[in-house]
Amino acid sequence: MHDVGEDPLDAKDLSGGNSVPPGLQSGQEPWRCGEPLKHPLTKHSDDPLGALHNRMINYDRYMCDIWKDEIEKLLIFAGLFSATVTAFSVESYKWLKEDSSETSAMLLRHISQQLSGTTDNTMDPVPLSLDLTPFSPTMQSIRINIFWFLSLILCLSSVLLGILCTQWTREYTRNIPLPPEHAIANRQLRYTGFFAWGVPGMISALPVILKTSVLLFFAGILDLLWSLHPIVAIFITVAIGLITSILVLTTIAPLAQCIYLFCRRDPPGLSQCPYKSSQSWLFFKLFTTLVCVPVSALMSTIERYTGIYFVPYVRLSTFFRQYQHTASSWPDLDTIWRKYRQLHVMEFEENMDIEALGQGFMWTIQEFPPRLHYDVMQDIFHCINTILPLRVSHDVMHMCIESGTDAPPSTRLGSGRGALGHDAMMLRFLQFYAPRTKCKHLLDELRVRCMNGLAAGMQGSDEQLGNDLRDSAFGRATALASNRRSFDTTIETLLQTFMSMVNYKSICPNCYTFTSGLIHLSIHAPLTKENVLLHRDIQRLSLFLLDYFQRETVEDITNGAESSNIFIIQASFRWLLSSQSPALGRIRKWELDLHQLLDGTSYVTVATPVTNKIISFMTETLVSAVREQQKSFRGALADAAQTERRLRRHGFWPGD
């Protein structure tokens, strides 16, 4: 085995942070948080926010078109069926009152009997009794009329509800020209309120009501008879009263919600009442004109003469004053609602409703999973990376992550501000939702930027972030080490990864990232004259990292501490000897090819300095030094023996 020449990359020159290691010839600068991304996702559209809004609009139109088509068919059926029930009811209600023709016939018979007694020349005829009992309908007639009239009322009620739902869906799909960030917030207000107030449930109930009406009609047909009896009147009154109450409540509900919410100290939420129909808008305007104007004058008089200041009324009057001057339709009211939230909700930045935007993005992710719809992730990425302000995009990503994970808050990625916090949040967001095969380069870059940011102590650094980065880096290292088919990264990214390891000194995951990077580089990376400087810089950084690993391991062994670092290093370096054709041999070949391409101008006196230093480190430190301290490192002795067996089996043990 040859000795390694002196490495000009001295450890004292690398103090950590985002410093550039001296002596590197490729001209690469460390990737820093806050700088433009080197590997962003490709753009799918010129206006990503507009594209997201168009997807929402198309989804809403498709949803409402299905509902409208179903309602129209139900209304046609209800019209035909109500005519049928009416025809039966016109006849059945007669059974509930006395038949005048039958009474007349009975009286005529009685008169005839009296006249026939007079013609018999009887001087004192015995008067015949006329037994006229009060009329009472049979219970069967009552039941049948209850069934049929309830059937008719339910059928007509479904028509009324169907018309209301058609009005609500029409207002729901109405849009006015707005910037995409405001249009998405307005749409999310309507969408959340539409479902929170049960409109889809009402639409789903229409077929049930009609089916119930048909069953009642069948029951009346089987039982036969019903109508103008007090009991019937009670049932019909209750049925009509219920449907009338629904009509009245849905008409006044939008106004009632405004009065309730704007009188409170708390800001209005996203669950806006969706019962927007022509009659509810008319009632809204009548109330503000006939009630609010006189009350406003009265309250102003009271304040002027008594000094009494009614805070809830002031907030409400401010809302209605805005409404009177700017609102001419339900979409205008949506805009007033959003602006009022902007004044009182903390989740606003740059005139944007962060809560509504976050829920809008989350809805898009749930309805169009990015792993199946990559264009959706492209648009979302460019929205949070370049279009939305930094704080807005940070909070939107945080809301999406919090909504999509069940992990306790202590295990989630930190929400620190600043460039580091934003990159860390984007890393977690993309790991959680994006297809990793299509954004692996971007994920690698974000990991490097975050590690450099942690090493530099940027704002947003914390222990949890370091733990998350270590877990992420270990997963990526495992994927690289096990990839035997293709080059799964870029040489520039590998160099930046090695530079970040020099800055961010940590045994785990650096040792796994180091060995997996070398394995992947030696097996798959192309080596050409165009990228030879990148390869040489990776070689130089590898020598420095090996020195660092050796110093840390020797220190642990000298201190006699059962350190987990030793087990981590032993396991990671065994990756280099884990197959019949070990990766260490491929690393040696990569160095020979690199030395040949450089025409002997390498800074080292031998062609394979990294391979030699790896063998030296494994034999002298991971095997011999551990055995010398066997009393303190009994757990590592088995790993040391396994490492020696693999080195001997593949011919890398010195002297073999």
Side-chain angles (χ1 to χ4, degrees):
M1 179 185 299
H2 300 285
D3 295 330
V4 180
E6 182 182 358
D7 179 14
L9 187 61
D10 193 358
K12 65 182 179 182
D13 295 326
L14 299 173
S15 56
N18 284 343
S19 58
V20 181
L24 300 185
Q25 301 300 313
S26 62
Q28 287 286 317
E29 295 283 342
W31 291 339
R32 298 178 176 89
C33 296
E35 295 179 348
L37 290 168
K38 307 295 183 183
H39 300 283
L41 301 183
T42 57
K43 269 194 173 184
H44 175 260
S45 59
D46 295 331
D47 183 13
L49 265 181
L52 291 178
H53 181 240
N54 289 335
R55 285 189 182 90
M56 295 179 179
I57 295 302
N58 292 335
Y59 178 90
D60 292 342
R61 286 176 179 170
Y62 177 75
M63 175 180 68
C64 291
D65 285 345
I66 293 177
W67 284 338
K68 288 178 183 178
D69 182 65
E70 181 180 4
I71 292 172
E72 288 174 359
K73 293 177 180 178
L74 291 175
L75 292 179
I76 294 173
F77 171 78
L80 296 174
F81 181 66
S82 62
T84 303
V85 178
T86 301
F88 280 86
S89 300
V90 165
E91 295 297 326
S92 65
Y93 86 93
K94 299 176 182 179
W95 302 337
L96 297 174
K97 63 181 181 179
E98 186 176 4
D99 190 348
S100 57
S101 61
E102 184 178 347
T103 303
S104 299
M106 186 175 61
L107 289 175
L108 287 174
R109 283 198 305 271
H110 183 72
I111 293 171
S112 175
Q113 289 176 358
Q114 286 185 329
L115 291 176
S116 99
T118 304
T119 56
D120 291 339
N121 298 323
T122 305
M123 296 301 299
D124 298 318
V126 179
L128 298 174
S129 62
L130 180 61
D131 187 12
L132 294 176
T133 58
F135 175 77
S136 177
T138 63
M139 289 303 298
Q140 185 184 35
S141 300
I142 296 172
R143 287 195 306 271
I144 292 176
N145 278 274
I146 290 174
F147 291 145
W148 284 353
F149 275 92
L150 275 179
S151 176
L152 180 61
I153 293 299
L154 289 177
C155 182
L156 296 177
S157 300
S158 67
V159 173
L160 180 59
L161 285 176
I163 294 174
L164 287 175
C165 291
T166 302
Q167 291 175 324
W168 298 336
T169 54
R170 183 185 66 245
E171 289 298 332
Y172 174 75
T173 54
R174 181 186 295 181
N175 292 290
I176 57 177
L178 284 174
E181 61 271 18
H182 298 327
I184 290 175
N186 277 13
R187 182 265 175 187
Q188 198 60 31
L189 283 174
R190 293 198 296 266
Y191 181 84
T192 303
F194 208 70
F195 282 84
W197 286 73
V199 174
M202 288 190 180
I203 297 175
S204 301
L206 292 177
V208 178
I209 295 174
L210 279 177
K211 290 176 183 178
T212 304
S213 176
V214 172
L215 291 175
L216 288 172
F217 178 71
F218 287 160
I221 289 288
L222 296 175
D223 203 349
L224 259 182
L225 251 133
W226 117 261
S227 188
L228 302 173
H229 188 275
I231 299 178
V232 178
I234 292 174
F235 277 93
I236 301 305
T237 301
V238 171
I240 296 177
L242 287 175
I243 192 61
T244 304
S245 299
I246 293 175
L247 178 62
V248 171
L249 290 175
T250 54
T251 301
I252 67 174
L255 175 64
Q257 186 194 32
C258 289
I259 294 175
Y260 172 71
L261 291 179
F262 287 95
C263 284
R264 300 169 58 203
R265 293 183 179 272
D266 298 332
L270 289 177
S271 299
Q272 187 189 49
C273 178
Y275 303 152
K276 299 172 182 178
S277 58
S278 55
Q279 64 268 20
S280 59
W281 180 253
L282 177 62
F283 179 77
F284 212 118
K285 293 181 71 69
L286 288 174
F287 181 86
T288 55
T289 303
L290 301 178
V291 178
C292 289
V293 173
V295 172
S296 178
L298 176 63
M299 299 302 295
S300 299
T301 303
I302 294 175
E303 292 174 9
R304 185 168 57 252
Y305 288 101
T306 64
I308 301 176
Y309 188 74
F310 297 94
V311 177
Y313 172 75
V314 171
R315 289 195 293 265
L316 185 62
S317 63
T318 302
F319 164 73
F320 280 117
R321 203 177 302 115
Q322 279 187 313
Y323 162 79
Q324 285 181 315
H325 288 91
T326 60
S328 60
S329 62
W330 285 120
D332 293 334
L333 184 64
D334 295 340
T335 301
I336 296 174
W337 187 287
R338 176 176 53 80
K339 289 182 177 179
Y340 193 85
R341 278 176 47 81
Q342 178 179 341
L343 294 175
H344 296 84
V345 179
M346 295 302 296
E347 288 80 8
F348 264 85
E349 183 78 11
E350 302 289 338
N351 199 28
M352 298 181 188
D353 189 338
I354 296 177
E355 182 185 5
L357 275 176
Q359 291 198 18
F361 275 56
M362 193 63 214
W363 175 88
T364 304
I365 291 172
Q366 291 173 345
E367 294 297 330
F368 305 97
R371 299 182 189 278
L372 302 177
H373 303 271
Y374 179 59
D375 57 326
V376 173
M377 178 49 65
Q378 289 174 297
D379 290 335
I380 290 177
F381 167 77
H382 286 285
C383 288
I384 61 180
N385 183 49
T386 58
I387 296 179
L388 296 177
L390 186 66
R391 181 178 182 274
V392 175
S393 62
H394 182 280
D395 290 343
V396 165
M397 289 187 291
H398 185 73
M399 287 182 61
C400 293
I401 293 172
E402 292 293 309
S403 300
T405 180
D406 295 328
S410 60
T411 63
R412 296 173 183 166
L413 194 63
S415 57
R417 299 295 180 181
L420 173 58
H422 181 267
D423 283 357
M425 190 65 70
M426 183 182 291
L427 174 62
R428 181 65 183 275
F429 177 80
L430 294 174
Q431 284 178 329
F432 204 83
Y433 293 113
R436 300 193 182 190
T437 56
K438 295 185 177 181
C439 63
K440 54 193 175 187
H441 300 323
L442 174 59
L443 291 174
D444 287 342
E445 180 180 350
L446 288 172
R447 291 188 191 99
V448 170
R449 289 159 64 109
C450 290
M451 290 177 67
N452 288 336
L454 281 177
M458 295 180 64
Q459 181 184 3
S461 303
D462 55 39
E463 182 179 356
Q464 184 59 43
L465 175 58
N467 293 335
D468 289 334
L469 284 175
R470 281 191 287 272
D471 294 341
S472 175
F474 177 75
R476 180 61 173 150
T478 304
L480 282 179
S482 60
N483 185 358
R484 300 294 180 183
R485 292 171 295 180
S486 61
F487 191 50
D488 198 31
T489 184
T490 65
I491 301 175
E492 180 188 17
T493 300
L494 278 177
L495 175 58
Q496 289 287 340
T497 302
F498 276 62
M499 292 168 66
S500 69
M501 286 189 286
V502 170
N503 287 324
Y504 184 64
K505 298 181 179 65
S506 173
I507 292 296
C508 181
N510 281 359
C511 53
Y512 287 105
T513 305
F514 170 76
T515 53
S516 65
L518 281 182
I519 292 172
H520 201 67
L521 178 74
S522 62
I523 295 177
H524 298 296
L527 178 58
T528 64
K529 290 184 178 180
E530 288 75 18
N531 61 26
V532 66
L533 295 181
L534 298 175
H535 283 268
R536 188 172 71 171
D537 286 347
I538 292 176
Q539 186 185 43
R540 288 169 54 78
L541 292 171
S542 299
L543 293 172
F544 172 82
L545 289 170
L546 284 168
D547 284 338
Y548 167 70
F549 294 147
Q550 186 167 13
R551 286 196 307 271
E552 291 295 315
T553 307
V554 170
E555 183 178 352
D556 287 337
I557 294 174
T558 303
N559 294 333
E562 186 84 15
S563 173
S564 60
N565 287 348
I566 297 176
F567 297 97
I568 293 173
I569 291 178
Q570 285 179 325
S572 62
F573 274 80
R574 280 200 302 275
W575 282 2
L576 303 174
L577 304 166
S578 59
S579 64
Q580 294 298 325
S581 178
L584 189 56
R586 300 300 299 268
I587 294 173
R588 173 178 283 174
K589 183 179 183 305
W590 163 70
E591 288 194 284
L592 291 173
D593 293 341
L594 176 60
H595 188 76
Q596 182 179 3
L597 193 60
L598 290 170
D599 291 329
T601 60
S602 176
Y603 59 90
V604 293
T605 58
V606 293
T608 58
V610 173
T611 306
N612 294 346
K613 183 163 281 192
I614 289 174
I615 295 173
S616 174
F617 171 61
M618 296 177 73
T619 56
E620 296 175 7
T621 305
L622 297 185
V623 177
S624 301
V626 169
R627 284 177 174 170
E628 290 176 3
Q629 300 289 335
Q630 57 180 337
K631 293 184 178 179
S632 301
F633 296 96
R634 293 181 179 178
L637 288 176
D639 290 338
Q642 186 178 6
T643 300
E644 181 181 355
R645 285 196 300 271
R646 292 188 181 184
L647 286 169
R648 291 184 181 278
R649 182 168 65 245
H650 297 297
F652 292 114
W653 189 262
D656 287 355

